[in-house]
Amino acid sequence: MKKTLLLLLLTSCCSIAAAQERSPLRRTEVITADSLDNDAELRERLRNMPNLEVGKGITFRPKSNWFSLTMRFRMQNMVGLSFDKDFTLAKTDAQVKRLRLRFDGHIYSPKLVYSIQLGFTSYDTEPLPNGNMNIVRDAIVYYVPSPKWNIGFGQTKIKANRARTNSSSALQFIDRSIVNSEFNLDRGFGFFGEYNMRQGEGFNLSAKGSVTLGEGRNWGSSAIGGVAYTGRLELYPLGRFKSKGDVLEGDFEGEERVKILLAGAYSYNHKASRLKGQRGAVMPDDATRNLGSYFADFILKYRGFAFYTDFMGRSCDEPLFDPRSNAFVYNGQGLNVQTSYLFDKKWEIALRNSTLFPESEVQPFAGYKRWNQTTFGVTRYIIGHSLKVQADMSYNHRSESIDPNYNRWEIRFQLELGL
């Protein structure tokens, strides 16, 4: 009896295997994305794609190679303590700050690439003023005819300043600077394009541009008729960074020769209806303003040492509204400087100094003449940026602050885990 059952089982398995081989779709392999390393052409096409991190996650791909699907997730669990000028605890934050699910790959041809990212925490899904849901962060399709250029349609990051282009999973500190928080353009829906010159180890450049709706991610529609035009130029005078070192903070790859990035960007948001262009509250009384945002970045990396500086600002001809509304467009500039050193790809120390300079006419609304924040951070890399533990401490100083009871000290701890 046992022999008969065993024979039937073997016969069934052989039949199933034969049916799978006869299937026109063949079978779908489950592989780690690291196994794509030998697919040089696909990796080269994806190298400069925004929001794609080749070498992570789990990839599904049929033998016919007509599609690939890489699934990834990551989470950031954070606790933060804020203290007043007397170092008395004033606020406690304990939360899953980010919880993301991503799907990347190609369909039909390696030239047709897609990227989808969803966010599920309250931090990721901050409510929109028009009531729309805000779960979708990225949903875009790119046509990549060659490694040198691509065009995309959908929603993704607007390529303006370096700090925003970097993934929040690749930061040296718990979060980005106060300068980035005020002036970055975040995401938008529209058309995106990139050109990446690649000529060996010498001088290199990238040009990136977009035309977007102008009201930010998941806005949906606008009756105003304005759009945002953004362009960015990146220069690599000593050649490209290793791997994706230009969008990963710190010198994790250990550049053996000095590498530099010089970049500038400008965005013109015509008839913006939100106070920060792509972000912020809606302007009162259905008003609109033309906003100009400008950015300059510098990066230097060499043998574990990294140095960054970001300068950015916003201009508006009429930043003020009816005084009763207390609404204003933040006209001004910000400067961020940070440096770090990585020891044996395990421990990293980093120091950042960030300053906001609102223009005189908006200082009464901003509540200060100048805001300076100095942050010291320590990171322990366990599996690169995929598994790391971070801690940082910040000191805030606001000159001529309207509120003398603002929090002076911040201490934060965070665990990052991603696949």
Side-chain angles (χ1 to χ4, degrees):
M1 183 65 177
K2 291 183 179 179
K3 292 182 179 179
T4 303
L5 290 175
L6 180 61
L7 182 60
L8 289 173
L9 180 61
L10 291 174
T11 303
S12 301
C13 291
C14 292
S15 301
I16 294 172
Q20 286 181 331
E21 288 297 321
R22 290 192 301 268
S23 171
L25 293 179
R26 301 283 181 140
R27 71 179 185 273
T28 298
E29 296 179 312
V30 181
I31 56 178
T32 63
D34 288 331
S35 65
L36 294 177
D37 288 348
N38 295 326
D39 193 342
E41 180 182 359
L42 180 58
R43 283 184 59 82
E44 184 66 15
R45 291 182 187 278
L46 298 182
R47 173 181 167 81
N48 294 296
M49 298 306 300
N51 307 318
L52 290 180
E53 301 170 14
V54 178
K56 294 183 178 181
I58 299 175
T59 295
F60 299 82
R61 182 174 60 181
K63 284 190 173 181
S64 60
N65 200 33
W66 69 276
F67 82 90
S68 69
L69 169 64
T70 299
M71 297 193 308
R72 294 195 300 276
F73 77 90
R74 65 183 180 91
M75 63 180 179
Q76 292 179 343
N77 294 344
M78 189 270 290
V79 60
L81 306 175
S82 299
F83 302 86
D84 61 19
K85 62 181 180 179
D86 299 321
F87 213 78
T88 301
L89 182 62
K91 181 182 178 183
T92 302
D93 288 322
Q95 60 179 310
V96 180
K97 189 169 186 180
R98 293 181 174 95
L99 179 61
R100 307 274 178 87
L101 185 62
R102 299 180 54 123
F103 305 91
D104 302 316
H106 74 274
I107 189 166
Y108 180 70
S109 165
K111 296 182 179 181
L112 199 61
V113 179
Y114 64 88
S115 179
I116 299 170
Q117 182 175 199
L118 308 175
F120 299 99
T121 66
S122 58
Y123 182 88
D124 279 336
T125 60
E126 53 186 342
L128 294 174
N130 66 356
N132 284 358
M133 295 185 65
N134 211 13
I135 295 176
V136 178
R137 301 187 69 81
D138 299 294
I140 187 166
V141 177
Y142 294 97
Y143 174 60
V144 193
S146 77
K148 287 189 174 182
W149 67 279
N150 63 75
I151 56 174
F153 175 65
Q155 178 174 289
T156 191
K157 290 180 180 178
I158 299 173
K159 310 308 177 293
N161 63 309
R162 182 230 20 122
R164 186 63 206 183
T165 302
N166 289 4
S167 170
S168 57
S169 65
L171 303 180
Q172 297 175 305
F173 300 92
I174 304 299
D175 215 336
R176 300 179 179 92
S177 70
I178 57 174
V179 175
N180 175 84
S181 296
E182 180 58 48
F183 295 114
N184 85 86
L185 303 186
D186 194 41
R187 289 167 164 84
F189 185 94
F191 293 91
F192 300 80
E194 295 188 14
Y195 170 77
N196 297 281
M197 185 182 80
R198 306 193 62 77
Q199 295 180 349
E201 297 297 324
F203 175 83
N204 234 293
L205 66 82
S206 292
K208 305 176 182 182
S210 63
V211 179
T212 56
L213 183 64
E215 272 70 46
R217 60 186 175 107
N218 300 316
W219 195 256
S221 63
S222 174
I224 305 300
V227 294
Y229 309 89
T230 306
R232 175 176 169 87
L233 180 65
E234 300 175 343
L235 303 178
Y236 302 84
L238 303 178
R240 295 268 182 170
F241 294 84
K242 287 183 180 179
S243 186
K244 300 185 73 173
D246 52 336
V247 293
L248 300 176
E249 290 192 346
D251 185 21
F252 195 79
E253 296 297 327
E255 296 288 351
E256 297 175 358
R257 294 185 296 175
V258 175
K259 294 295 177 66
I260 291 174
L261 167 67
L262 294 167
Y266 183 78
S267 179
Y268 179 71
N269 196 334
H270 179 55
K271 291 186 178 181
S273 61
R274 301 177 71 178
L275 293 173
K276 296 184 180 182
Q278 286 80 3
R279 301 175 300 118
V282 174
M283 296 181 184
D285 302 322
D286 297 324
T288 63
R289 295 288 190 272
N290 297 328
L291 306 182
S293 300
Y294 43 92
F295 308 87
D297 307 322
F298 174 80
I299 301 175
L300 184 149
K301 295 187 178 185
Y302 180 61
R303 293 188 176 181
F305 170 79
F307 175 81
Y308 298 84
T309 183
D310 310 271
F311 175 78
M312 57 193 83
R314 182 185 299 120
S315 62
C316 175
D317 291 337
E318 300 179 72
L320 304 181
F321 302 87
D322 187 331
R324 293 172 297 179
S325 68
N326 204 35
F328 70 103
V329 174
Y330 193 113
N331 264 11
Q333 298 82 36
L335 178 64
N336 179 65
V337 179
Q338 66 189 67
T339 186
S340 65
Y341 188 78
L342 180 65
F343 299 89
D344 298 325
K345 291 191 176 182
K346 294 181 179 179
W347 290 94
E348 182 182 61
I349 56 173
L351 182 66
R352 179 174 69 194
N353 189 75
S354 308
T355 310
L356 288 168
F357 306 93
E359 294 187 358
S360 57
E361 58 185 333
V362 302
Q363 287 175 10
F365 298 89
Y368 52 86
K369 183 178 180 179
R370 184 180 64 189
W371 180 4
N372 178 261
Q373 184 185 77
T374 301
T375 304
F376 175 75
V378 178
T379 299
R380 173 62 168 97
Y381 295 99
I382 301 172
I383 309 178
H385 286 285
S386 297
L387 179 58
K388 61 185 178 182
V389 179
Q390 296 178 286
D392 64 25
M393 173 181 285
S394 298
Y395 176 72
N396 295 282
H397 173 70
R398 298 178 184 176
S399 60
E400 300 183 19
S401 176
I402 294 177
D403 178 13
N405 297 319
Y406 66 91
N407 294 327
R408 303 308 204 272
W409 295 92
E410 296 176 6
I411 300 175
R412 300 179 294 184
F413 173 83
Q414 180 170 275
L415 170 67
E416 167 100 23
L417 187 150
L419 175 67

